Amino acid sequence: MTRVGVLGATGAVGQRFIQLLSSHDDFEIAALTASSDSAGKPYKEAAKWRVDTPIPDSVADVDVLETTPEAVPNDVDLLFSSLPSSVAERVEHGFCEAGYVVSSNSSNERNAADVPLVIPEVNADHLDLIEVQRDERGWDGALVKNPNCSTITMVPTLAALDRFGLDRVHVSTLQAVSGAGYSGVSSMEILDNVIPHIGGEEEKMETESRKLLGEFTGSEIDWHDVDVSASCNRVPTLDGHLENVWAELDDDPTVEDVFAAFEDYAGQDLPSAPSPLIETFEEPDRPQPRLDRFLGDGMAVAAGGVQQTPDGVQYNCLAHNTIRGAAGASVLNGELLERDGWL
């Protein structure tokens, strides 16, 4: 068993990490960290548990540690980070310098030139950037990121369509409130309402997508030249980001060609990887968050509503934003790091 830890274990994504890791066949939770206010308390007291399954017995009485390299046992092989980006940018480097490999959901440094931004089914080879990172930074550890929850919903479908020549992408998102954290959007803001702006979200989708779809040259990532424009909206859905995508393509595929591209797109042989990666619906009103967010145990991407347009295709896609879009994505990256010998 690989011994792992969770940085920021008491927050919303940290709790989802606990849920996913507590029953994992290959990972054993060996360390939980949080703020100094929580350090020293049993996890069941430090975390206001909000996940839809009971708090696992295996962690309930485990004492929470300070989020410092000195506090974490040195026999921990892999750390999962769900820290707020403002905290992560201060502390993640310290863990990497101390020799820990960090699979991080935090948004800081996703677009840094020497930091792999990875969706295993899309760009697993980008992990080779770790060698460049270690050479440049002098680390024994490593820092790997997964993308933003809205980006990770769309990019596997774009990767499947790239065979037709991606030219330009427009996306409008309908994002669940859980993406803002438990206290991120008040009920008075979101009930009977839609908020047509999520700070920083459009930029993340527009940049992270191009890095993920890029090619590793041996020393750097050559970003994809697709032009991505995003409009991000918060809607009164608990979980599951639904996205309307317009993809302009060099070729002129039929609807049947697009469905085949989605259905044939290869997954990964990893414990948390869904099969298939992209589940398709011919119905024009699918996917829907309440019906489809738990496909593939919350790790699949759903796609449907495919229509031809004068320049390409329009379709809808959906993924569970705190499983596939956050904690599950980091766990999947951790499984890839283990399988490919980076731990």
Side-chain angles (χ1 to χ4, degrees), residues 313-331:
V313 294
Q314 189 276 325
Y315 61 94
N316 310 314
C317 58
L318 169 81
H320 196 300
N321 54 293
T322 67
I323 301 180
R324 181 74 209 204
S330 290
V331 171

Side-chain angles (χ1 to χ4, degrees), residues 174-224:
L174 297 91
Q175 296 183 217
V177 293
S178 58
Y182 188 81
S183 302
V185 184
S186 72
S187 60
M188 289 292 288
E189 287 181 283
I190 197 64
L191 290 177
D192 189 33
N193 200 23
V194 171
I195 301 172
H197 175 71
I198 304 173
E201 201 82 356
E202 287 100 351
E203 181 183 1
K204 291 173 184 176
M205 293 194 76
E206 292 166 357
T207 57
E208 292 174 11
S209 299
R210 295 182 56 232
K211 184 177 182 182
L212 287 159
L213 294 168
E215 298 289 335
F216 179 59
T217 68
S219 60
E220 62 183 3
I221 305 299
D222 183 12
W223 289 26
H224 199 293

Side-chain angles (χ1 to χ4, degrees), residues 256-340:
E256 292 74 20
D257 292 335
V258 171
F259 273 116
F262 288 158
E263 292 164 0
D264 294 344
Y265 191 75
Q268 278 277 358
D269 185 17
L270 294 169
S272 297
S275 181
L277 169 60
I278 303 173
E279 299 208 23
T280 60
F281 295 90
E282 294 185 2
E283 300 92 328
D285 61 349
R286 299 286 290 277
Q288 297 178 21
R290 195 167 62 188
L291 299 178
D292 304 314
R293 59 193 170 206
F294 284 109
L295 291 172
D297 293 326
M299 290 294 287
V301 175
V306 178
Q307 304 175 61
Q308 283 185 300
T309 68
D311 300 311
V313 294
Q314 189 276 325
Y315 61 94
N316 310 314
C317 58
L318 169 81
H320 196 300
N321 54 293
T322 67
I323 301 180
R324 181 74 209 204
S330 290
V331 171
L332 197 63
N333 280 348
E335 293 168 356
L336 182 65
L337 285 160
E338 179 183 52
R339 188 195 71 184
D340 291 356

Side-chain angles (χ1 to χ4, degrees), residues 100-234:
Y100 295 98
V101 175
V102 179
S103 177
S104 175
N105 180 66
S106 305
S107 63
N108 56 295
E109 293 198 277
R110 283 179 180 155
N111 290 330
D114 63 346
V115 174
L117 179 69
V118 176
I119 300 173
E121 298 95 337
V122 173
N123 62 334
D125 64 311
H126 287 202
L127 279 189
D128 290 340
L129 195 60
I130 289 175
E131 294 287 6
V132 176
Q133 182 187 95
R134 286 174 169 170
D135 287 344
E136 291 186 351
R137 305 198 186 201
W139 289 349
D140 292 324
L143 180 63
V144 176
K145 296 284 178 173
N146 59 264
N148 171 268
C149 51
S150 52
T151 305
I152 206 171
T153 300
M154 176 180 69
V155 164
T157 65
L158 297 184
L161 293 178
D162 202 20
R163 67 174 71 176
F164 306 119
L166 278 175
D167 182 33
R168 184 174 177 83
V169 173
H170 306 267
V171 57
S172 180
T173 71
L174 297 91
Q175 296 183 217
V177 293
S178 58
Y182 188 81
S183 302
V185 184
S186 72
S187 60
M188 289 292 288
E189 287 181 283
I190 197 64
L191 290 177
D192 189 33
N193 200 23
V194 171
I195 301 172
H197 175 71
I198 304 173
E201 201 82 356
E202 287 100 351
E203 181 183 1
K204 291 173 184 176
M205 293 194 76
E206 292 166 357
T207 57
E208 292 174 11
S209 299
R210 295 182 56 232
K211 184 177 182 182
L212 287 159
L213 294 168
E215 298 289 335
F216 179 59
T217 68
S219 60
E220 62 183 3
I221 305 299
D222 183 12
W223 289 26
H224 199 293
D225 60 3
V226 62
D227 188 1
V228 180
S229 300
S231 172
C232 296
N233 308 273
R234 188 75 70 193

Side-chain angles (χ1 to χ4, degrees), residues 18-19 21-24 28-30 32 43 54-63:
I18 299 299
Q19 181 193 45
L21 292 169
S22 63
S23 59
H24 200 285
E28 175 190 4
I29 298 174
L32 305 174
Y43 185 73
I55 187 169
D57 292 338
S58 58
V59 302
D61 294 313
V62 172
D63 286 342

Side-chain angles (χ1 to χ4, degrees), residues 47-100:
K48 190 171 183 179
W49 190 253
R50 304 187 190 279
V51 179
D52 50 3
T53 56
I55 187 169
D57 292 338
S58 58
V59 302
D61 294 313
V62 172
D63 286 342
V64 174
L65 307 173
E66 290 264 14
T67 306
T68 65
E70 295 76 20
V72 174
N74 57 17
D75 63 348
V76 170
D77 301 300
L78 175 64
L79 294 172
F80 295 105
S81 175
S82 63
L83 296 168
S85 58
S86 59
V87 177
E89 65 185 6
R90 299 198 312 268
V91 306
E92 286 181 346
H93 283 203
F95 283 98
C96 297
E97 290 169 359
Y100 295 98

